[in-house]
Amino acid sequence: MRVVAARSELCSGCRACQVLCSLARFGVNNPKKSALQIIGHFPEPGVYEINICSQCGVCAEECPVEAIQANETTYDIDADACTNCGICAEVCPSNSVTQHAALEVPIKCVSCGECVEYCPRSALVWN
């Protein structure tokens, strides 16, 4: 399975990955609509953690309407089947499935690779 993996020790906190993700997925520059999160560990300067879906499948197992299905590389949310109940976000062990008030479906990484291609420090790579 080809998925995006994070190397947090290389992250500078620039959040370019979040901008690229929101642009690729939703056509907007809105890091809150990104499928990954950058967590700053303050007050420790320069320490950031990248939180991205590992494609473990827990969300798919717990989805009551089976709206999350495995494909060749990832687990994807079927927008037509999803009821936006939020259970997938609640059960995600890494808190990488998120909800945004303006969206009818939770946000989850689909391993499109935009973040990998443009990360200036190679903190995001293909696993």
Side-chain angles (χ1 to χ4, degrees):
M1 186 182 285
R2 187 175 184 209
V3 298
V4 176
R7 300 188 301 182
S8 292
E9 68 277 5
L10 298 177
C11 182
S12 69
C14 73
R15 301 182 193 277
C17 55
Q18 290 182 300
V19 171
L20 289 162
C21 181
S22 67
L23 284 170
R25 298 283 307 278
F26 304 106
V28 296
N29 177 355
N30 185 346
K32 291 186 178 186
K33 287 186 178 180
S34 173
L36 67 156
Q37 298 86 41
I38 304 300
I39 303 161
H41 290 277
F42 299 104
E44 204 169 338
V47 178
Y48 298 93
E49 177 185 349
I50 304 168
N51 186 16
I52 192 165
C53 179
S54 67
Q55 308 299 336
C56 70
V58 171
C59 57
E61 292 170 9
E62 298 296 326
C63 179
V65 295
E66 299 180 359
I68 304 173
Q69 298 293 318
N71 69 28
E72 293 178 16
T73 58
T74 62
Y75 287 89
D76 296 331
I77 300 173
D78 179 347
D80 294 328
C82 179
T83 62
N84 202 19
C85 67
I87 291 174
C88 55
E90 290 174 18
V91 301
C92 178
S94 63
N95 296 315
S96 57
V97 178
T98 60
Q99 291 182 289
H100 188 282
L103 300 174
E104 296 180 8
V105 176
I107 302 170
K108 184 188 165 316
C109 179
V110 295
S111 287
C112 70
E114 289 294 315
C115 58
V116 172
E117 187 172 342
Y118 293 103
C119 178
R121 307 230 2 217
S122 299
L124 294 155
V125 294
W126 289 112
N127 189 13

